[in-house]
Amino acid sequence: MKRIFVTGALGQIGSELVDKLRNLYGEDNVLSTDIREPNDMSGPFEILDVSDGKKMYELAKQFNADTFIHLAALLSATAEKNPLFAWNLNMGGLMNALEVSRELNLQFFTPSSIGAFGPTTPKDNTPQDTLQRPTTMYGVNKVAGELLCDYYNVRYGLDTRSVRFPGLISYVTPPGGGTTDYAVDIYYKAIENGQYTSYIAEGTYMDMMYMPDALQAVVDLMEADGSKLKHRNAFNISAMSFEPAQIAREIKKHIPTFEMSYDVDPVRQKIADSWPNSIDSSAAIEEWGFKAEYDLEKMTVDMLEKLNQKLIKG
Ligand code: NAD
């Protein structure tokens, strides 16, 4: 990766990934693009709606890109509110990004998700290769996306790579409408109000990861020796699996007065129930050395410290 083109770069992942890539490869070597203007402008930025394939091609060519990181998408809970719009954005944007990458011969990365699994997938230690029959529009998009990326690799020799991200937790940019957002929100509310009402029911386990590990995984996978990759699209990766009461207990260790209650949202609960309890990351570990530094305990210490600085001390 030397000249990196990023779509949806102002979102939860992109806002931090662009900074990391600029630190590693140089500020001017990463072009950030999004459909909206950034709050503060640092480094190269262009407005780009990913449904505009012509502009995407022109910007990537002008920038002399060698790598394409496609992040623009509608996430699971938001996609359920407007499935047709989600299909058009998620599949149309991906198709444009793959076509631009094929025409310019760019290394390609786009994230899949644990949402690519469904209720008939084995729930515990979910294998890398297994049944994928998701029941959400987001999941349908992610499975189709994984297959499309494999197709471009097999058919055109495009260097496509991807991971199935679990819920990502970060103190920098708020999440964009996923089912696992509660695991970010809970830290904000613990500090601001001392209490949290969870829309996910007690006992609902989902895979999660702290953002620094997710960003490192993208870099490690993109830098990995391609000849060692058997899977490409898309690797299971997870750092931890927990249910709401466990994260609440961990927060209570630092804020003893913290209280959590439940007011379950049936839409997001149904999505959560269709996803695995915990996935098996062994293919990513074996093929490109995936590792995670943060477990629930270590992440909670860091989240509370960083959010305290952000929210209380300004
Ligand atoms: P996000 O919702 O925080 O950010 C998406 C960005 O895309 C936003 O900045 C938005 O302005 C932009 N966007 C929306 N429509 C656009 C369009 N038409 N053209 C260009 N940009 C547009 O999402 P995120 O959490 O950063 O997720 C990025 C990718 O990672 C997605 O593919 C998502 O499915 C995947 N993923 C995320 C998570 C997670 O927990 N955050 C987990 C699994 C997979």
Side-chain angles (χ1 to χ4, degrees), residues 11-13 34 36 48-50 71 89 111 138 142 165-166 168:
Q12 193 200 11
I13 298 176
D34 204 288
R36 58 194 164 95
L48 173 67
D49 179 341
V50 292
L71 301 176
L89 170 61
Y138 181 71
K142 288 302 186 193
F165 274 137
L168 299 182

Side-chain angles (χ1 to χ4, degrees), residues 189-299:
K189 295 293 186 322
I191 291 171
E192 287 172 338
N193 307 335
Q195 66 88 37
Y196 181 66
T197 307
S198 173
Y199 60 80
I200 293 292
E202 188 167 2
T204 310
Y205 282 82
M206 285 185 277
D207 286 286
M208 305 277 178
M209 188 180 290
Y210 200 32
M211 190 60 88
D213 284 331
L215 304 180
Q216 192 57 47
V218 176
V219 171
D220 288 346
L221 174 58
M222 293 302 271
E223 294 286 0
D225 177 353
S227 68
K228 304 227 164 76
L229 302 182
K230 292 187 211 116
H231 284 90
R232 290 185 169 272
N233 309 289
F235 285 95
N236 282 1
I237 57 168
S238 176
M240 58 193 103
S241 165
F242 56 76
E243 54 99 14
Q246 280 176 299
I247 188 170
R249 270 200 298 279
E250 210 50 51
I251 291 173
K252 243 174 151 14
K253 286 187 191 164
H254 307 274
I255 308 174
T257 53
F258 175 68
E259 293 295 340
M260 187 171 71
S261 55
Y262 295 89
D263 180 12
V264 174
D265 167 20
V267 175
R268 285 177 288 186
Q269 184 62 37
K270 193 166 168 224
I271 299 175
D273 286 339
S274 77
W275 289 357
N277 294 331
S278 68
I279 60 174
D280 170 22
S281 312
S282 57
I285 294 166
E286 280 156 27
E287 290 176 43
W288 51 277
F290 163 72
K291 59 179 182 311
E293 303 285 340
Y294 288 88
D295 58 12
L296 176 58
E297 197 178 349
K298 195 170 164 193
M299 174 179 77

Side-chain angles (χ1 to χ4, degrees), residues 54-110:
K54 190 165 173 286
K55 184 169 178 190
M56 187 189 278
Y57 174 84
E58 280 159 10
L59 286 176
K61 193 170 164 62
Q62 269 165 26
F63 187 66
N64 204 14
D66 63 13
T67 306
F68 197 120
I69 296 189
H70 179 57
L71 301 176
L74 221 59
L75 270 58
S76 56
T78 321
E80 265 343 271
K81 290 186 190 141
N82 197 343
L84 178 61
F85 181 70
W87 172 269
N88 288 335
L89 170 61
N90 291 352
M91 300 319 299
L94 176 61
M95 205 62 195
N96 284 337
L98 282 166
E99 271 299 288
V100 167
S101 300
R102 180 182 69 78
E103 287 174 274
L104 299 173
N105 195 24
L106 314 180
Q107 192 191 27
F108 187 82
F109 176 86
T110 194

